[in-house]
Amino acid sequence: NTHQATISEMTLIENLILGHLRGGKASFNRLKHHYITLRDKILALDPLLKELLDKPLSALSGGQKQKVAILMATFNAPSLLLLDEHGSA
């Protein structure tokens, strides 16, 4: 199961890093590298999220949260991605 859960009390970038590491070993250098890589990906997806990167996930709108969930679901390039109501929000 590759379901990605988010934690609304954590920041947007913390959620992304947590989802990207998925239980892997963390170090300061790895976290810094992931921060930069994921920041670039999220800004390519929606530049307006720049000011929200370090805010709690709960500060995002429903549509912004949905973009983040899709990004997290595609981290490991799944061969199949099932979307429920993909056109909503």
Side-chain angles (χ1 to χ4, degrees), residues 49-70:
L49 290 174
K50 181 178 183 177
E51 55 194 62
L52 298 175
L53 284 175
D54 296 309
K55 294 194 180 203
L57 199 61
S58 59
L60 275 66
S61 70
Q64 291 168 326
K65 288 178 187 175
Q66 197 168 34
K67 288 179 185 179
V68 171
I70 291 170

Side-chain angles (χ1 to χ4, degrees), residues 2-13:
T2 59
H3 179 264
Q4 295 289 324
T6 58
I7 302 170
S8 60
E9 293 82 18
M10 291 175 61
T11 67
L12 168 58
I13 197 70

Side-chain angles (χ1 to χ4, degrees), residues 26 42-43 47 54 66 79 83:
I42 197 75
L43 294 180
D54 296 309
Q66 197 168 34
S79 56
L83 301 172

Side-chain angles (χ1 to χ4, degrees), residues 1-83:
N1 184 1
T2 59
H3 179 264
Q4 295 289 324
T6 58
I7 302 170
S8 60
E9 293 82 18
M10 291 175 61
T11 67
L12 168 58
I13 197 70
E14 288 170 340
N15 271 282
L16 291 174
I17 291 171
L18 184 64
H20 195 52
L21 288 176
R22 275 226 219 140
K25 188 173 181 181
S27 69
F28 179 75
N29 287 334
R30 280 193 77 197
L31 292 175
K32 183 178 176 184
H33 169 74
H34 287 302
Y35 181 92
I36 292 167
T37 301
L38 294 173
R39 180 196 63 207
D40 292 346
K41 284 183 178 184
I42 197 75
L43 294 180
L45 182 66
D46 185 349
L48 298 177
L49 290 174
K50 181 178 183 177
E51 55 194 62
L52 298 175
L53 284 175
D54 296 309
K55 294 194 180 203
L57 199 61
S58 59
L60 275 66
S61 70
Q64 291 168 326
K65 288 178 187 175
Q66 197 168 34
K67 288 179 185 179
V68 171
I70 291 170
L71 178 64
M72 292 176 75
T74 60
F75 278 155
N76 295 321
S79 56
L80 178 64
L81 185 61
L82 299 176
L83 301 172

